[in-house]
Amino acid sequence: MSFEFVIKKRLKDSEAIIFSGKQEIAKIKKHEGFSFKLIRYKDKQEWMLSNIVDGQRRPFSYAVRKAINNSSHHETGEIHTGEEVFVVREQLFKHKGKFYMLASHPEGKSWIDYVNSSTRYISRLDNFPYPNLSDVDHGHYTLRHKIKRFRGTSVGEASGLGQHEGGHRVRLDNELADIGLFIATISYLLYASG
């Protein structure tokens, strides 16, 4: 079983709307610097997304933290963040003890088909040799080179640009259902927000 999100950027606006089916379920708003706010409509839950991961600004990385809404901060626009709930580091993330990779070359796809495709695959890396995301260091070229070579089982895909009519589409297998909104948002911010 799978589910799909579609993210569309509003013209002349710094917001993007996230759809599930035809229903608007959330929005992404630009915040200070390189951060973004994700707001889910059904319960007004807010999260802050920043590319500062493990204390450093990192490429292809985002940390998602709960936003703490306090009426005294609401007037000033200042937002405090709470616990970190999800992290993508160097396109990698861990969920329920398993590692996954955004924009991965999945098993069963030839290199030419993968390179020529406008689809980015999300793969589960069943044989990932590192126990933690922090073991993957961006500054270490040989390690980054090895990670790009990992192939896994496709558990989702992303395609399209947010400003085009079809939007940025993210389809995920059910094993990622509970973090699907975060994955769709980060995929949009990394690859399709233009």
Side-chain angles (χ1 to χ4, degrees):
M1 190 168 138
S2 66
F3 54 98
E4 184 176 71
F5 297 95
V6 177
I7 300 111
K8 295 182 179 182
K9 185 174 183 181
R10 290 186 169 166
L11 295 176
K12 302 178 187 173
D13 200 349
S14 61
E15 290 185 0
I17 304 299
I18 303 173
F19 296 84
S20 178
K22 294 185 186 257
Q23 182 179 2
E24 291 184 19
I25 62 165
K27 70 179 171 181
I28 305 165
K29 292 178 70 170
K30 179 91 171 94
H31 197 62
E32 298 170 353
F34 298 101
S35 66
F36 296 86
K37 186 190 292 188
L38 172 62
I39 304 163
R40 186 170 54 199
Y41 293 146
K42 74 177 181 181
D43 58 5
K44 307 285 190 240
Q45 177 64 55
E46 297 181 6
W47 296 273
M48 295 302 299
L49 287 85
S50 169
N51 64 353
I52 297 174
V53 174
D54 295 331
Q56 295 180 329
R57 196 169 302 282
R58 295 180 178 274
F60 301 105
S61 303
Y62 271 97
V64 180
R65 295 184 174 276
K66 279 188 177 179
I68 299 172
N69 291 325
N70 183 326
S71 59
S72 65
H73 300 299
H74 196 64
E75 295 170 8
T76 64
E78 186 179 341
I79 296 175
H80 289 282
T81 56
E83 70 179 290
E84 190 172 79
V85 294
F86 184 68
V87 173
V88 171
R89 181 179 167 155
E90 311 289 336
Q91 296 178 312
L92 297 166
F93 62 95
K94 191 173 185 180
H95 180 60
K96 295 182 179 177
K98 297 178 182 176
F99 284 92
Y100 297 83
M101 186 172 187
L102 301 174
S104 170
H105 179 184
E107 294 172 351
K109 288 274 182 198
S110 74
W111 181 250
I112 295 196
D113 290 340
Y114 170 70
V115 170
N116 291 333
S117 174
S118 62
T119 300
R120 289 186 173 83
Y121 295 92
I122 300 161
S123 297
R124 185 181 61 247
L125 305 175
D126 294 324
N127 297 314
F128 194 68
Y130 305 100
N132 300 301
L133 286 177
S134 59
D135 294 334
V136 181
D137 187 1
H138 175 69
H140 195 289
Y141 174 76
T142 56
L143 182 56
R144 288 296 308 146
H145 186 70
K146 286 179 187 177
I147 288 169
K148 289 180 182 181
R149 299 282 181 221
F150 282 123
R151 296 175 80 177
T153 303
S154 178
V155 294
E157 54 190 52
S159 61
L161 298 175
Q163 65 267 23
H164 289 112
E165 186 162 326
H168 180 63
R169 303 179 99 66
V170 178
R171 185 207 52 82
L172 298 167
D173 287 356
N174 205 39
E175 69 188 76
L176 299 174
D178 54 335
I179 57 170
L181 183 60
F182 300 143
I183 294 170
T185 300
I186 292 170
S187 178
Y188 168 79
L189 293 173
L190 289 177
Y191 308 114
S193 58

